[in-house]
Amino acid sequence: MARASARHILVDSEEKCLSLKQEIEDGKDFAEVAKAHSSCPSGRQGGDLGSFGPGQMVPEFDKVVFSAELNEVQGPVKTQFGYHLLEVTERT
């Protein structure tokens, strides 16, 4: 079965998500941005979600995690929780 490791940043608006994505693209560290801005408890670990398989996350999240390029910031991805920036760090 496929497995992926990813990290994310969760915020409450698309505008905030886009702003943070730009900060990361301009050189800010993903983990530091997650610690400072993510509303998910994973933010304390730099947004690290660990390893998981298909179906363990919401469908919108899964779709990106199991298809996106590795180590590229994806998003905004809208889910019932808010807006996410995602970075897939590993996939098997």
Side-chain angles (χ1 to χ4, degrees):
M1 170 169 309
R3 301 280 301 167
S5 295
R7 54 190 185 167
H8 82 134
I9 299 169
L10 175 63
V11 295
D12 61 1
S13 75
E14 186 174 15
E15 294 76 23
K16 180 73 171 172
C17 206
L18 288 167
S19 173
L20 294 176
K21 184 176 185 179
Q22 188 62 55
E23 287 183 24
I24 294 164
E25 289 173 350
D26 289 344
K28 283 208 174 172
D29 180 66
F30 189 102
E32 293 304 315
V33 174
K35 287 176 185 175
H37 298 282
S38 185
S39 62
C40 180
S42 69
R44 291 191 295 274
Q45 291 84 41
D48 187 14
L49 296 168
S51 177
F52 51 90
Q56 290 187 270
M57 301 292 179
V58 294
E60 303 91 340
F61 207 90
D62 262 13
K63 182 178 176 184
V64 174
V65 168
F66 289 98
S67 66
E69 293 291 323
L70 294 179
N71 303 307
E72 284 186 15
V73 178
Q74 307 293 321
V77 176
K78 186 179 188 316
T79 71
Q80 74 241 34
F81 301 105
Y83 294 86
H84 306 258
L85 292 179
L86 306 169
E87 184 182 45
V88 183
T89 56
E90 188 178 318
R91 189 170 46 235
T92 58

